[in-house]
Amino acid sequence: MHDFHYKNGELHCEGVPLSKIAAKHGTPAYVYSHTTIRSHFQKLDQALAALDHTICYAVKANSNLAVLRTIAKLGGGFDVVSKGEIERVVAAGGDHNRCLFAGVGKTEREIEFALHLGIHAFNAESEPELERINAAAKRLKKTAPISVRVNPNVDAKTHAKITTGTYENKFGIAFEQVKKVYAKAAKMSHLQIKGVQMHIGSQLTTAEPFEGAVKKLIPLVKDLKKRYGIKFFSIGGGLGIVYEPALESGNLTWWKKKEAASILTPQSYAERIVPMLEPLGLEILIEPGRFIAGNAGVLITRVEYVKRTGKKNFTIVDAAMNDLIRPAFYDAHHDIVALTKKGDTRINTDVVGPICEAGDYFCKDRPLQKVKEGDYLALLSAGAYSFVMASNYNSRPKPTEIMVKEKQFSIVRGRESAAELWSQEKVPSWLK
Ligand code: LLP
């Protein structure tokens, strides 16, 4: 599942002790395992081998250039949601023609940019968007490749903030209206219908919702193939990961054995959907983000203070909600472990950052190894939707990012300086 493990009591990423990285580059720091990213990609690729398929990595999960480069070298395509993400893919040496451009709010500027450069397809999410793409293509004397995002109205049974496939959400076009929308698109002079797309939500931990949505769409997909000769069906992303590894005999295992059977794996996912998809004779695109990057990263942080107030213990660390917002925003669980194992004494503690907000916590009353000032902790499963959602709240420079491959490690994004934070700010002359 991943390449983080204890060796001689020291948490390693591949062949490198994380304490060595903390000592050299300081904290807070994100550390990514190149090997884990690669092996997650390859496991999914192998599970889908029976299909003509392309893994279009969801750039939003972790858009560091070194991560994108890794995906490009593995032969992946990219699911992008902004001009900035397309530019990142290109900067990382990825192919813009393998980018699927999703998102409900594409601006004219973004559409024109993508048309000039050339992309695989726009995943259109509304009729006005199709009209806007058509008009832009006409202006630029181009033909725009498009697919339509279908909202299948299937409950993904995941956190409300990351559910996308029901009619409560802003995403896609309602299942019942899709045929009409394709018929309209077919009449627009500068569109070329290339595919169909769906995405029902993120962090799905069972195969059933995927299976249900694919099953629901199959007749529609066949019809679209017959009528418009579509070439691809993108089934979106959403494969969940394990956020709560068990500590077994002092080491990390990513699930308790008895639970293993029920956990979504590339195999259990593929077993359910490949038999339905294979007979379609279409290219199948899949847009995973978290599955590739989530368990491939950790956030390392230094313990600044340990204090007890009233009835509770607090471990105050140098990372904060601005660096990793998932616990505050989604009540997300990230496991927290010490970089250096010292004895078996555990105490219940909140792990919190220095920001003056009650939401600035990483866990509450969790039994953790007893630590003291100067020790280091790692927040696990922080490779996806972590650095990318960081902010500069409290004028805190964003953490540095480091990638490890076997015994080597390199900074893949330097730590921001305070001056960079206000480099675009100006005091108007009338205030001087
Ligand atoms: N395709 C589309 C159209 C999407 O909207 C998303 C994610 C993906 C693919 C990739 O989903 P994944 O395979 O990573 O589950 N910030 C949240 C997650 C937001 C997901 C948004 N869309 C979190 O931290 O949990």
Side-chain angles (χ1 to χ4, degrees):
M1 281 292 270
H2 69 94
D3 295 84
F4 295 90
H5 56 271
Y6 281 105
K7 198 165 133 195
N8 303 327
E10 285 286 331
L11 188 62
H12 282 59
C13 175
E14 305 197 25
V16 182
L18 288 170
S19 53
K20 188 171 162 186
I21 294 179
K24 184 158 183 203
H25 295 302
T27 52
Y30 279 98
V31 182
Y32 308 127
S33 159
H34 178 268
T35 303
T36 307
I37 296 173
R38 203 183 55 213
S39 84
H40 286 166
F41 184 99
Q42 288 169 337
K43 276 183 186 143
L44 196 53
D45 211 24
Q46 281 151 17
L48 300 174
L51 302 171
D52 171 14
H53 70 277
T54 302
I55 298 178
C56 294
Y57 169 71
V59 172
K60 63 167 82 76
N62 184 329
S63 55
N64 186 283
L65 295 190
V67 174
L68 301 183
R69 178 87 194 133
T70 305
I71 303 294
K73 284 177 81 172
L74 287 163
F78 300 90
D79 163 51
V80 297
V81 290
S82 67
K83 174 173 177 282
E85 285 193 351
I86 302 174
E87 289 174 300
R88 266 185 181 277
V89 168
V90 173
D95 183 355
H96 48 84
N97 284 312
R98 308 195 77 202
C99 284
L100 270 185
F101 192 175
V104 295
K106 300 174 194 81
T107 63
E108 294 221 331
R109 202 166 140 253
E110 288 182 310
I111 292 168
E112 286 184 0
F113 173 80
L115 281 170
H116 268 304
L117 196 64
I119 57 167
H120 191 61
F122 292 91
N123 278 335
E125 305 223 16
S126 66
E127 285 189 53
E129 184 190 328
L130 284 167
E131 279 157 21
R132 184 180 274 192
I133 296 172
N134 186 52
K138 195 168 174 184
R139 263 197 318 276
L140 300 179
K141 300 190 175 48
K142 302 247 179 202
T143 303
I146 61 112
S147 54
V148 169
R149 177 168 176 177
V150 182
N151 182 334
N153 200 24
V154 167
D155 186 358
K157 300 198 167 48
T158 181
H159 191 283
K161 284 192 180 143
I162 49 176
T163 291
T164 53
T166 77
Y167 291 168
E168 295 293 314
N169 310 119
K170 67 182 174 187
F171 304 98
I173 291 175
F175 182 75
E176 293 76 15
Q177 288 157 24
V178 170
K179 280 193 186 175
K180 224 173 58 201
V181 172
Y182 269 95
K184 277 196 183 163
K187 292 202 185 100
M188 293 189 200
S189 56
H190 288 69
L191 300 186
Q192 183 195 6
I193 298 176
K194 287 202 41 184
V196 58
Q197 194 263 2
M198 68 164 202
H199 171 76
I200 56 173
S202 198
Q203 183 55 15
L204 274 66
T205 49
T206 65
E208 281 79 37
F210 292 114
E211 192 182 7
V214 169
K215 197 181 255 171
K216 186 164 177 183
L217 253 65
I218 294 271
L220 171 74
V221 175
K222 283 185 181 159
D223 184 70
L224 296 175
K225 187 180 175 195
K226 207 167 72 202
R227 281 177 202 267
Y228 309 111
I230 60 166
K231 301 274 181 281
F232 72 80
F233 175 19
S234 175
I235 55 174
L239 279 92
I241 61 167
V242 177
Y243 276 98
E244 296 189 47
L247 268 174
E248 275 178 2
S249 47
N251 215 337
L252 299 169
T253 41
W254 286 81
W255 54 71
K256 296 180 193 101
K257 288 191 182 61
K258 63 176 164 44
E259 289 170 8
S262 65
I263 280 167
L264 187 71
T265 62
Q267 290 73 27
S268 61
Y269 173 75
E271 267 164 29
R272 299 288 193 96
I273 58 164
V274 168
M276 290 192 281
L277 295 171
E278 209 180 345
L280 291 174
L282 291 173
E283 185 191 8
I284 302 300
L285 308 182
I286 176 168
E287 307 163 6
R290 193 187 318 260
F291 177 79
I292 306 275
N295 280 332
V298 300
L299 173 60
I300 55 177
T301 181
R302 182 180 189 271
V303 175
E304 295 296 336
Y305 299 97
V306 175
K307 77 174 198 180
R308 191 176 166 80
T309 55
K311 292 182 197 148
K312 292 192 75 166
N313 297 311
F314 291 93
T315 304
I316 302 166
V317 297
D318 67 356
M321 65 190 288
N322 72 295
D323 303 309
L324 176 61
I325 202 170
R326 301 192 71 259
F329 200 48
Y330 309 111
D331 297 314
H333 176 102
H334 284 265
D335 245 54
I336 303 176
V337 295
L339 294 202
T340 306
K341 254 199 275 181
K342 284 184 201 144
D344 287 329
T345 320
R346 293 181 161 255
I347 59 158
N348 284 351
T349 181
D350 287 19
V351 176
V352 301
I355 291 178
C356 184
E357 294 224 23
D360 185 24
Y361 65 86
F362 294 123
C363 71
K364 288 193 183 274
D365 277 324
R366 204 182 287 170
L368 295 184
Q369 171 186 310
K370 200 165 175 205
V371 288
K372 57 173 193 344
E373 181 185 330
D375 287 345
Y376 290 100
L377 298 173
L379 288 106
L380 306 183
S381 310
Y385 305 112
S386 298
F387 180 86
V388 284
M389 293 178 78
S391 77
N392 294 114
Y393 187 36
N394 278 212
S395 288
R396 289 171 53 84
K398 286 183 195 148
T400 187
E401 292 176 287
I402 287 149
M403 186 177 274
V404 176
K405 186 181 176 201
E406 295 159 14
K407 284 193 182 326
Q408 51 186 337
F409 60 98
S410 305
I411 290 183
V412 292
R413 190 183 201 271
R415 191 177 300 286
E416 285 177 340
S417 68
E420 277 175 78
L421 303 189
W422 59 79
S423 63
Q424 298 296 322
E425 297 175 26
K426 287 189 181 70
V427 177
S429 57
W430 43 262
L431 254 185
K432 283 183 183 155

